[in-house]
Amino acid sequence: YNLGLVDTSRSSISRNVAGSRGGGIFNHGNVEIVNTTISSNIAVSRGGGLYNERQDSAVNPTIRPVQTVGTLYALNSTIAFNAAGAEGGGLFQEGSATYELGNTIVEKNTAASSPDLQGTVNSMGFNFIGDLDGTPAAALLQPSDIVAEATDGVTEAGLAPLSSGGPNGTWHHALNAGAYVIDRGSNTLYADETGAAVGNLINEFDQVRRPRQVEGDNDGTFNIDIGATEYFVSHPVAII
């Protein structure tokens, strides 16, 4: 439950349950996630992964200055396999609350309606979204965003099951070999948002502290992947 600022990197908000709304996070303030997974959370009502609430008079202004809307900023993150009984299995926004998403996966969430997200997106581009109730234009997506149900030949991002394996032990979804999102993120977007040098992304790290930029689809071009984790290619070395 957030009334202030949640600012998290290389982390996981996973495997939580809420009796009403906001299985992973019930947000009255600002949530900023980078290289982070929100997965396998459950809300009985709305917002399995995250519920963004309009504040209005919900907070006593003598305790904290009233902020009118909750906000979510997500860069190179994965929001998947969350569930809500009513709406917004992945994300639910109330009123004019906002999501700002870039290089992020939102898919495989479930709900009676709006399974992946309910509401509109302030898109930074290069997102992968599984299911929309409306059109990409109505959700205010960018041309670089991919909506699986609206794209011929695309069915899913290619996420492996939730696992805590990896260098830092956080719950995450690795990418399967051949995953659609491999090398489809934007190097420029990641560099601009994090302050990293676009030519030095090989020295940046994904959620589990593996290199953020790996040539994963054998096309000779080094682009980062969409989502919290980078596809990890392990080449055997012969010792003679």
Side-chain angles (χ1 to χ4, degrees), residues 175-186:
L175 297 179
N176 292 315
Y180 184 84
V181 297
I182 293 173
D183 282 12
R184 291 184 184 268
S186 168

Side-chain angles (χ1 to χ4, degrees), residues 10-47:
R10 300 188 188 95
S11 301
S12 184
I13 302 163
S14 301
R15 304 172 70 189
N16 302 288
V17 179
S20 179
R21 297 167 291 173
I25 303 175
F26 190 114
N27 180 38
H28 277 303
N30 300 317
V31 173
E32 299 179 4
I33 62 173
V34 179
N35 294 319
T36 291
T37 293
I38 299 177
S39 177
S40 304
N41 302 289
I42 299 171
V44 171
S45 178
R46 297 178 175 89

Side-chain angles (χ1 to χ4, degrees), residues 112-209:
S113 68
S114 304
D116 281 322
L117 63 86
Q118 180 277 337
T120 57
V121 177
N122 180 11
S123 175
M124 295 181 282
F126 301 91
N127 299 295
F128 185 99
I129 297 172
D131 184 276
L132 286 176
D133 281 352
T135 65
L140 304 182
L141 299 181
Q142 299 292 332
S144 61
D145 293 321
I146 302 143
V147 178
E149 65 172 354
T151 306
D152 289 342
V154 179
T155 58
E156 60 183 22
L159 298 174
L162 190 68
S163 168
S164 60
N168 72 356
T170 56
W171 290 102
H172 67 282
H173 293 282
L175 297 179
N176 292 315
Y180 184 84
V181 297
I182 293 173
D183 282 12
R184 291 184 184 268
S186 168
N187 296 337
T188 301
L189 174 61
Y190 188 89
D192 287 349
E193 292 297 311
T194 62
V198 72
N200 198 39
L201 295 186
I202 189 65
N203 293 317
E204 295 292 306
F205 294 101
D206 69 359
Q207 179 185 322
V208 297
R209 295 199 64 80

